[in-house]
Amino acid sequence: MKLKLSIVSTLGAALALLAANPAARATTLTIDAGHPGAAINPAMWGIFFEDINFGADGGLYAEMVKNRSFEFPDPLMGWIKISPSLARGELAVRGEDPLTPANPHYLRVHSEGSAPFGISNPGFRRMGVSQDESYNFSIEVRPVAGAPVLEAQLVAADGSVLDSARLEGFAAGWKRYTLVLHPKESDWGARLNVLMTTKGTVDLDMVSLFPEHTWKNRPGGLRADMAQMLADLKPGFLRFPGGCIVEGSILDRRYQWKKTIGPVGDRSLLINRWNYEFVHRPTPDYFQSFGLGFFEFFQLCEDIGAQPLPILNCGMACQFNSGELCPLDQLEPYIQDALDLIEFANGPETSVWGAKRAAMGHPQPFQMKMMGVGNEQWGPQYIERYVRFAAALKAKHPEIMLVSDAGPSPDDERFQFLWPKLRELHADIVDEHCYANPPWFFNNTHRYDNYDPNGPKVFMGEYAAQSVDVVSPKNRNTLECALAEAAYMTGLERNAAVVRMASYAPLFGNAEAWQWTPNLIWVDNHRIYGTPDYYAQQLFSRNRGDVVLPVSSDDPASTSFFASAVRDNQTKDIILKVVNASSQAAPAALHLNGIPPGAQKAQATILTSDNTADENSFDQPRKVAPVTVSIGEVGGGFDYTFRPNSLTVLRIGPGRE
Ligand code: AHR
């Protein structure tokens, strides 16, 4: 039976456009529900995380004090001396008998007590404090002389004190002291002062301020709004820690997971490679505290139901930088790090590394199932190292799927060299990266149609449409970019037998401290918004389905109409995803073959806007966001008109309103 839709009023605009464009020809789309294809990996749509654009420090890691441990090469970077005219005092960064060897510097403050004297920290591009929040202040103090009294103050941009509290009666030796501050007003340009109000001398370290309400209310945890945005994606996996940050510009600056676990004070600071990578976007105050380290990564994965996908350095520094290589006969510590990470994640409490996980509060294993060897490497040097990693890892842990990589481009000579080699090696899954302009994505929706289903699988591990050019600081997160990615994702979904995972990159951008654009989610010190790209990712992820359904069109060569379909085995819904990249409405006759007889209920979720250049912003966070409308009852065939410049997800099933 063929039913005509009763189009709800929100779709009136589409009909009006259709009337204005009588030439628009209806596309016939046939979905063959009777012949399901490949099973879709439950972890198909995931998240790429990297500490770029202040993604971790100054971002997801909720610490509000920058350079809290005086370990930046300029140890007072980020700190301002507070010394009113009557004050008499001295600041000195020292290293004798530090708090921990991993954290070798601290600040000695001496005051004559004539007026409050000390230091002020404006955080990562100013502190955003809310009157509805409480802030946990902590500090390591070692009294040296006198009877020191310290005052912690939250100060507004206009200099007024929002709240303050005192610490005194310090015991001998290093000891951590805490207090809670409750700002009387919200202020998005605040800072933290730590002042000595009496005559005396103290040593200070690990000066820290966190909101009380972090993600899951964990003390010293993650920013709740940012973690929630990740959870809202319902991601299949979380890739961590990157990205080029895995590699380091030189090997000595590579990401080493073992240095990111245990007490935060024992995690050594490292310069962030994005501190100096782009001369046009220098960020001299960008360092990695590793407060968000590998334990927190596994914990976040567990929280949001994502499979952990750690990516490890394979003995190669970034080939866009030094390209430094660990000699093959010295690779063993790198491989051992990978083996030990598996034990840290999955080993019993009685194992060396499993015990460290348990000591951090997680005796149960994290159930890690995959691991990446290298990020964006290329050449025979990569293959030589991958082979050694794969031999050792597969011998001991055949259960772990290994992600190898195909370099930084989806089709250049580096890619052409690596793929055949990885195929010969029977690699499990190959990480492809693609940053290109929107036309590339629209033109490559059939990229995977002819990949060998018996060869290595594909992980589309980094991709994003670039509105201007790759790494151009002018790139914007426009609707056009989101539609280009969504069109491409229909191709990934149709080829789910080959493409097993995909993730947009990068993830976060701090609007006041970014190095790279576009990004999936933008934040400042108190706000957050998802881009149109975020909502496209979310529509695919939350409508993943379990099995691919064949879709055929009577206009397969269309350059503006892209479709894929899946079935959700639990709800029995058929889920059709369509991108109409034309500025005209696209009428379609939909045929659902092989569905049970009788009426089905349908709903449409539509991502569109008036203009393909439209973006979201802090002021208009949902200018381009999905809207769901009920379509009512349909049968085995019905007509539907897709909005101009839209991504539409149609869910058709027995129980849907
Ligand atoms: O996503 C930003 C960067 O792009 C990643 O760090 C790197 O892998 C790629 O070149």
Side-chain angles (χ1 to χ4, degrees), residues 228-294:
Q228 188 61 53
M229 285 287 277
L230 304 187
D232 290 346
L233 283 171
K234 291 206 184 302
F237 65 89
L238 175 54
R239 171 187 178 140
F240 182 92
C244 292
I245 214 160
V246 169
E247 306 159 34
S249 53
I250 54 174
L251 282 175
D252 210 31
R253 291 182 180 171
R254 71 189 186 278
Y255 197 106
Q256 298 186 58
W257 75 266
K258 288 176 178 167
K259 296 186 175 182
T260 75
I261 61 167
V264 287
D266 288 344
R267 305 181 193 180
S268 299
L269 191 91
L270 183 67
I271 189 166
N272 187 306
R273 58 156 292 121
W274 300 106
N275 176 310
Y276 49 84
E277 181 67 19
F278 293 144
V279 282
H280 59 284
R281 299 289 302 177
T283 320
D285 57 342
Y286 200 2
F287 290 80
Q288 294 175 267
S289 71
F290 299 112
L292 165 49
F294 257 74

Coordinates of all heavy atoms in Angstrom, one line a residue, residues 228-294:
Q228 N 29.7 15.9 29.4 CA 28.3 15.6 29.0 C 28.1 15.6 27.5 O 27.3 14.8 26.9 CB 27.3 16.6 29.7 CG 25.9 16.2 29.6 CD 25.5 14.9 30.2 OE1 25.8 14.6 31.4 NE2 24.9 14.0 29.4
M229 N 28.7 16.6 26.9 CA 28.6 16.7 25.4 C 29.1 15.4 24.7 O 28.6 15.0 23.7 CB 29.4 17.9 24.9 CG 28.7 19.2 25.1 SD 27.2 19.5 24.1 CE 28.0 20.1 22.6
L230 N 30.2 14.8 25.3 CA 30.7 13.6 24.8 C 29.7 12.4 25.0 O 29.4 11.6 24.1 CB 32.1 13.3 25.4 CG 33.1 14.3 25.3 CD1 34.5 13.8 25.8 CD2 33.3 14.8 23.8
A231 N 29.2 12.4 26.3 CA 28.2 11.3 26.6 C 27.0 11.4 25.7 O 26.5 10.4 25.2 CB 27.8 11.4 28.0
D232 N 26.6 12.7 25.3 CA 25.4 12.9 24.5 C 25.6 12.3 23.1 O 24.6 12.2 22.4 CB 25.0 14.3 24.5 CG 24.4 14.8 25.8 OD1 24.1 14.0 26.7 OD2 24.3 16.0 26.0
L233 N 26.8 12.1 22.7 CA 27.1 11.6 21.4 C 26.8 10.1 21.4 O 26.7 9.5 20.3 CB 28.5 11.8 20.9 CG 28.9 13.2 20.5 CD1 30.4 13.3 20.3 CD2 28.2 13.5 19.1
K234 N 26.7 9.5 22.5 CA 26.6 8.0 22.7 C 27.7 7.3 21.8 O 27.4 6.6 20.9 CB 25.2 7.5 22.3 CG 24.1 7.9 23.2 CD 23.0 6.9 23.2 CE 21.8 7.3 24.0 NZ 22.1 7.4 25.4
P235 N 28.9 7.7 22.1 CA 30.0 7.2 21.2 C 30.4 5.8 21.3 O 30.3 5.2 22.4 CB 31.2 8.1 21.7 CG 30.9 8.3 23.1 CD 29.4 8.4 23.2
G236 N 30.8 5.1 20.3 CA 31.1 3.7 20.3 C 32.5 3.5 20.8 O 32.9 2.5 21.4
F237 N 33.4 4.5 20.6 CA 34.8 4.4 21.1 C 35.3 5.8 21.4 O 34.7 6.8 21.0 CB 35.7 3.7 20.1 CG 35.9 4.5 18.8 CD1 36.9 5.4 18.7 CD2 35.0 4.3 17.8 CE1 37.1 6.1 17.5 CE2 35.2 5.0 16.6 CZ 36.2 6.0 16.5
L238 N 36.4 5.8 22.2 CA 37.1 7.1 22.4 C 38.6 6.9 22.1 O 39.2 6.1 22.8 CB 36.9 7.5 23.9 CG 37.6 8.7 24.4 CD1 37.4 10.0 23.6 CD2 37.2 9.0 25.8
R239 N 39.1 7.6 21.1 CA 40.5 7.5 20.8 C 41.2 8.5 21.6 O 40.8 9.7 21.7 CB 40.6 7.8 19.3 CG 42.0 8.0 18.8 CD 42.0 8.5 17.3 NE 43.4 8.7 16.9 CZ 43.8 8.4 15.7 NH1 43.0 7.9 14.8 NH2 45.0 8.6 15.3
F240 N 42.4 8.1 22.1 CA 43.1 9.0 23.0 C 44.6 8.6 23.0 O 44.9 7.4 22.9 CB 42.6 8.7 24.4 CG 43.2 9.5 25.6 CD1 42.6 10.8 25.9 CD2 44.3 9.1 26.3 CE1 43.2 11.5 27.0 CE2 44.8 9.8 27.3 CZ 44.3 11.0 27.7
P241 N 45.6 9.4 23.1 CA 45.5 10.8 23.4 C 45.6 11.7 22.1 O 45.9 12.9 22.2 CB 46.7 11.1 24.3 CG 47.8 10.1 23.8 CD 47.0 8.9 23.3
G242 N 45.5 11.1 20.9 CA 45.6 11.9 19.7 C 45.8 11.0 18.5 O 45.5 9.8 18.6
G243 N 46.2 11.5 17.4 CA 46.7 12.8 17.2 C 48.3 12.9 17.3 O 49.0 12.0 17.8
C244 N 48.8 14.0 16.7 CA 50.2 14.2 16.7 C 50.9 14.2 18.1 O 52.1 14.0 18.2 CB 50.6 15.5 16.0 SG 50.2 15.4 14.2
I245 N 50.0 14.5 19.1 CA 50.6 14.6 20.4 C 51.2 13.2 20.9 O 52.0 13.2 21.7 CB 49.5 15.1 21.4 CG1 50.1 16.0 22.5 CG2 48.6 14.0 22.0 CD1 49.1 16.9 23.2
V246 N 50.7 12.2 20.3 CA 51.2 10.8 20.6 C 52.7 10.8 20.2 O 53.5 10.2 20.9 CB 50.5 9.8 19.7 CG1 51.2 8.4 19.8 CG2 49.0 9.7 20.1
E247 N 53.1 11.5 19.1 CA 54.4 11.3 18.5 C 55.4 12.2 19.1 O 56.6 11.8 19.3 CB 54.3 11.6 17.0 CG 53.2 10.8 16.3 CD 52.8 11.5 15.0 OE1 53.6 12.1 14.3 OE2 51.6 11.4 14.6
G248 N 55.0 13.5 19.5 CA 56.0 14.5 19.9 C 56.8 15.0 18.7 O 57.0 14.3 17.8
S249 N 57.3 16.2 18.9 CA 58.1 16.8 17.8 C 59.5 16.1 17.8 O 60.1 16.0 16.8 CB 58.2 18.3 17.9 OG 58.7 18.6 19.2
I250 N 59.9 15.7 19.0 CA 61.1 14.8 19.1 C 60.7 13.7 20.1 O 59.7 13.8 20.8 CB 62.3 15.6 19.7 CG1 61.9 16.2 21.0 CG2 62.9 16.6 18.7 CD1 63.1 16.9 21.7
L251 N 61.4 12.6 20.0 CA 61.0 11.4 20.8 C 60.9 11.7 22.3 O 60.0 11.2 23.0 CB 61.9 10.2 20.6 CG 61.6 9.5 19.2 CD1 62.7 8.4 19.0 CD2 60.2 8.9 19.2
D252 N 61.8 12.6 22.8 CA 61.8 12.9 24.2 C 60.5 13.6 24.6 O 60.2 13.6 25.8 CB 63.0 13.8 24.5 CG 63.5 13.6 25.9 OD1 63.4 12.5 26.4 OD2 64.0 14.6 26.5
R253 N 59.8 14.2 23.6 CA 58.6 14.9 24.0 C 57.3 14.1 23.5 O 56.3 14.6 23.4 CB 58.5 16.2 23.3 CG 59.5 17.2 23.9 CD 59.4 18.6 23.2 NE 60.4 19.5 23.7 CZ 60.6 20.7 23.2 NH1 60.0 21.1 22.2 NH2 61.5 21.5 23.8
R254 N 57.5 12.8 23.3 CA 56.4 11.9 23.0 C 55.5 11.7 24.2 O 55.9 12.0 25.3 CB 56.9 10.6 22.4 CG 57.4 9.7 23.5 CD 58.1 8.5 22.9 NE 58.5 7.5 23.9 CZ 59.7 7.6 24.6 NH1 60.5 8.6 24.4 NH2 60.0 6.6 25.4
Y255 N 54.3 11.3 23.9 CA 53.3 11.0 25.0 C 53.7 9.6 25.6 O 53.8 8.6 24.9 CB 51.9 10.9 24.4 CG 50.8 11.0 25.5 CD1 50.1 12.2 25.6 CD2 50.6 10.0 26.4 CE1 49.1 12.3 26.6 CE2 49.6 10.1 27.3 CZ 48.9 11.2 27.5 OH 47.9 11.3 28.4
Q256 N 53.9 9.6 26.9 CA 54.3 8.3 27.6 C 53.3 8.1 28.7 O 53.2 8.8 29.7 CB 55.7 8.5 28.2 CG 56.8 8.7 27.1 CD 58.2 8.6 27.7 OE1 58.6 7.6 28.3 NE2 58.9 9.7 27.5
W257 N 52.4 7.1 28.4 CA 51.3 6.9 29.3 C 51.7 6.6 30.7 O 51.0 7.0 31.7 CB 50.4 5.7 28.7 CG 50.9 4.3 29.0 CD1 51.7 3.6 28.1 CD2 50.7 3.5 30.1 NE1 52.0 2.4 28.6 CE2 51.4 2.3 29.8 CE3 50.1 3.7 31.3 CZ2 51.4 1.3 30.8 CZ3 50.1 2.6 32.2 CH2 50.8 1.4 32.0
K258 N 52.8 6.0 31.0 CA 53.2 5.6 32.3 C 53.5 6.9 33.2 O 53.4 6.8 34.4 CB 54.4 4.7 32.3 CG 54.2 3.3 31.8 CD 55.4 2.5 31.8 CE 55.1 1.1 31.3 NZ 56.3 0.3 30.9
K259 N 53.8 8.0 32.5 CA 54.0 9.2 33.2 C 52.7 10.0 33.5 O 52.7 11.1 34.0 CB 55.0 10.1 32.4 CG 56.3 9.5 32.3 CD 57.3 10.5 31.6 CE 58.7 9.9 31.5 NZ 59.7 10.8 31.0
T260 N 51.6 9.4 33.2 CA 50.3 10.1 33.3 C 49.4 9.4 34.3 O 48.2 9.8 34.4 CB 49.5 10.2 32.0 OG1 49.0 8.9 31.6 CG2 50.5 10.6 30.8
I261 N 49.9 8.5 35.1 CA 49.0 7.8 36.1 C 49.6 8.0 37.5 O 50.7 8.5 37.6 CB 48.9 6.3 35.8 CG1 50.3 5.6 35.8 CG2 48.3 6.0 34.4 CD1 50.2 4.1 35.9
G262 N 48.8 7.6 38.5 CA 49.2 7.8 39.9 C 48.8 9.2 40.4 O 48.1 9.9 39.7
P263 N 49.3 9.6 41.6 CA 48.9 10.9 42.1 C 49.3 12.0 41.1 O 50.4 12.0 40.5 CB 49.8 11.0 43.4 CG 50.1 9.6 43.7 CD 50.2 8.8 42.4
V264 N 48.4 13.0 41.0 CA 48.7 14.1 40.0 C 50.0 14.8 40.2 O 50.7 15.2 39.3 CB 47.5 15.1 39.9 CG1 46.3 14.5 39.1 CG2 47.1 15.6 41.2
G265 N 50.4 14.9 41.5 CA 51.6 15.6 41.8 C 52.9 14.9 41.3 O 53.9 15.4 41.3
D266 N 52.7 13.6 41.0 CA 53.8 12.8 40.6 C 53.8 12.7 39.0 O 54.6 12.0 38.5 CB 53.7 11.3 41.1 CG 54.0 11.3 42.6 OD1 54.6 12.3 43.1 OD2 53.7 10.3 43.2
R267 N 53.0 13.4 38.4 CA 52.9 13.4 36.9 C 53.7 14.6 36.4 O 53.4 15.8 36.7 CB 51.5 13.5 36.4 CG 50.6 12.3 37.0 CD 49.2 12.4 36.4 NE 48.4 11.5 37.2 CZ 47.1 11.3 37.0 NH1 46.5 11.9 36.0 NH2 46.4 10.5 37.8
S268 N 54.8 14.3 35.7 CA 55.7 15.4 35.2 C 55.1 16.2 34.1 O 54.5 15.7 33.2 CB 57.0 14.9 34.7 OG 57.7 14.2 35.8
L269 N 55.3 17.5 34.2 CA 54.8 18.4 33.1 C 55.6 18.2 31.8 O 56.7 17.9 31.8 CB 55.0 19.9 33.6 CG 54.3 20.9 32.7 CD1 52.9 21.2 33.3 CD2 55.1 22.2 32.7
L270 N 54.9 18.4 30.7 CA 55.5 18.3 29.4 C 55.0 19.4 28.5 O 53.8 19.8 28.5 CB 55.2 16.9 28.7 CG 55.8 16.6 27.4 CD1 57.3 16.4 27.5 CD2 55.2 15.4 26.7
I271 N 55.9 20.0 27.7 CA 55.5 21.1 26.8 C 54.5 20.4 25.8 O 54.8 19.3 25.3 CB 56.7 21.8 26.1 CG1 56.2 23.0 25.3 CG2 57.5 20.8 25.2 CD1 57.3 24.0 24.9
N272 N 53.4 21.1 25.5 CA 52.5 20.6 24.5 C 53.0 20.9 23.1 O 53.4 22.1 22.9 CB 51.1 21.3 24.8 CG 50.0 20.6 23.9 OD1 50.1 20.6 22.7 ND2 49.0 20.2 24.5
R273 N 53.0 20.0 22.2 CA 53.5 20.2 20.9 C 52.8 21.3 20.2 O 53.3 22.0 19.3 CB 53.5 18.9 20.0 CG 52.1 18.4 19.9 CD 52.0 17.5 18.6 NE 52.1 18.2 17.4 CZ 53.0 18.0 16.5 NH1 53.9 17.1 16.6 NH2 53.0 18.8 15.4
W274 N 51.5 21.6 20.6 CA 50.7 22.6 19.9 C 51.1 24.0 20.5 O 50.6 25.0 20.0 CB 49.2 22.3 20.0 CG 48.9 21.0 19.4 CD1 48.6 19.9 20.0 CD2 48.9 20.8 18.0 NE1 48.4 18.9 19.1 CE2 48.6 19.4 17.8 CE3 49.1 21.5 16.8 CZ2 48.5 18.8 16.5 CZ3 49.0 20.9 15.6 CH2 48.7 19.5 15.5
N275 N 52.0 24.0 21.5 CA 52.5 25.3 22.0 C 53.2 26.0 20.9 O 53.1 27.3 20.8 CB 53.5 24.9 23.1 CG 54.2 26.0 23.8 OD1 54.8 26.8 23.1 ND2 54.2 26.1 25.1
Y276 N 54.0 25.3 20.1 CA 54.9 26.0 19.1 C 54.7 25.5 17.7 O 55.4 25.9 16.8 CB 56.3 25.7 19.5 CG 56.7 24.3 19.8 CD1 57.0 23.4 18.8 CD2 56.6 23.8 21.1 CE1 57.2 22.1 19.0 CE2 56.8 22.4 21.4 CZ 57.2 21.6 20.3 OH 57.4 20.3 20.6
E277 N 53.7 24.6 17.4 CA 53.6 24.0 16.1 C 53.3 25.0 15.0 O 53.9 25.0 13.9 CB 52.5 22.9 16.1 CG 52.3 22.2 14.8 CD 53.5 21.3 14.4 OE1 54.4 21.0 15.3 OE2 53.6 21.0 13.2
F278 N 52.3 25.9 15.2 CA 51.9 26.8 14.2 C 52.4 28.2 14.5 O 52.0 28.8 15.5 CB 50.4 26.8 14.1 CG 49.8 25.5 13.6 CD1 48.6 25.1 14.0 CD2 50.4 24.8 12.6 CE1 48.0 23.9 13.6 CE2 49.9 23.6 12.1 CZ 48.7 23.2 12.6
V279 N 53.3 28.7 13.6 CA 53.8 30.0 13.9 C 52.7 31.1 13.9 O 52.8 32.1 14.5 CB 55.0 30.4 13.0 CG1 56.3 29.8 13.4 CG2 54.7 30.1 11.5
H280 N 51.7 30.8 13.1 CA 50.6 31.8 13.0 C 49.6 31.7 14.2 O 48.7 32.5 14.4 CB 49.8 31.6 11.7 CG 49.2 30.2 11.5 ND1 50.0 29.1 11.2 CD2 47.9 29.8 11.6 CE1 49.2 28.1 11.1 NE2 47.9 28.5 11.4
R281 N 49.8 30.6 15.0 CA 48.9 30.5 16.2 C 49.8 30.0 17.4 O 49.5 29.0 18.0 CB 47.8 29.5 16.0 CG 46.8 29.7 14.9 CD 45.9 30.9 15.2 NE 45.0 30.7 16.3 CZ 44.2 31.7 16.8 NH1 44.1 32.8 16.1 NH2 43.5 31.5 17.8
P282 N 50.8 30.8 17.8 CA 51.7 30.4 18.9 C 50.9 30.4 20.2 O 50.0 31.3 20.4 CB 52.8 31.4 18.9 CG 52.2 32.6 18.2 CD 51.2 32.1 17.3
T283 N 51.2 29.4 21.1 CA 50.5 29.4 22.4 C 51.6 29.1 23.4 O 51.7 27.9 23.9 CB 49.4 28.3 22.4 OG1 48.7 28.3 21.1 CG2 48.4 28.5 23.5
P284 N 52.4 30.1 23.8 CA 53.5 29.8 24.6 C 53.2 29.3 26.0 O 54.1 28.8 26.7 CB 54.2 31.2 24.7 CG 53.3 32.2 24.3 CD 52.3 31.5 23.4
D285 N 51.9 29.4 26.4 CA 51.5 28.9 27.8 C 50.8 27.6 27.7 O 50.0 27.3 28.6 CB 50.7 30.0 28.5 CG 49.4 30.3 27.6 OD1 49.4 30.0 26.4 OD2 48.4 30.8 28.2
Y286 N 51.1 26.8 26.7 CA 50.4 25.5 26.5 C 51.3 24.3 27.0 O 52.3 24.0 26.3 CB 49.9 25.3 25.1 CG 48.8 24.4 24.9 CD1 48.2 23.7 25.9 CD2 48.3 24.1 23.6 CE1 47.1 22.8 25.7 CE2 47.3 23.2 23.3 CZ 46.7 22.6 24.4 OH 45.7 21.7 24.2
F287 N 50.9 23.7 28.1 CA 51.7 22.6 28.6 C 50.7 21.5 29.0 O 49.5 21.7 29.2 CB 52.5 23.0 29.8 CG 53.7 23.9 29.4 CD1 53.4 25.3 29.2 CD2 55.0 23.4 29.2 CE1 54.5 26.1 28.8 CE2 56.0 24.3 28.8 CZ 55.8 25.6 28.6
Q288 N 51.3 20.3 29.1 CA 50.5 19.1 29.5 C 50.8 18.8 31.0 O 51.9 18.4 31.3 CB 50.8 17.9 28.7 CG 50.4 18.1 27.2 CD 50.8 16.9 26.4 OE1 51.9 16.9 25.8 NE2 50.0 15.9 26.4
S289 N 49.8 18.9 31.8 CA 49.9 18.5 33.2 C 49.6 17.1 33.4 O 50.0 16.5 34.4 CB 49.0 19.3 34.1 OG 47.6 18.9 33.9
F290 N 48.9 16.5 32.5 CA 48.5 15.1 32.5 C 47.5 14.8 33.7 O 47.4 13.7 34.1 CB 49.7 14.1 32.6 CG 50.5 14.2 31.3 CD1 51.8 14.7 31.4 CD2 50.1 13.8 30.1 CE1 52.6 14.9 30.3 CE2 50.9 14.0 29.0 CZ 52.2 14.5 29.1
G291 N 46.9 15.9 34.2 CA 45.8 15.6 35.2 C 44.7 14.8 34.6 O 44.0 14.0 35.3
L292 N 44.5 14.9 33.3 CA 43.7 14.0 32.5 C 44.7 13.0 31.8 O 45.3 13.3 30.8 CB 42.9 14.7 31.5 CG 42.2 13.9 30.3 CD1 41.4 12.7 30.8 CD2 41.3 14.8 29.5
G293 N 44.9 11.9 32.5 CA 45.9 10.9 32.0 C 45.2 9.6 31.6 O 44.0 9.6 31.4
F294 N 46.0 8.6 31.6 CA 45.4 7.3 31.0 C 44.4 6.7 32.0 O 43.4 6.0 31.5 CB 46.5 6.4 30.7 CG 46.7 6.3 29.2 CD1 47.4 7.4 28.5 CD2 46.3 5.3 28.4 CE1 47.5 7.4 27.2 CE2 46.4 5.3 27.0 CZ 47.1 6.3 26.4

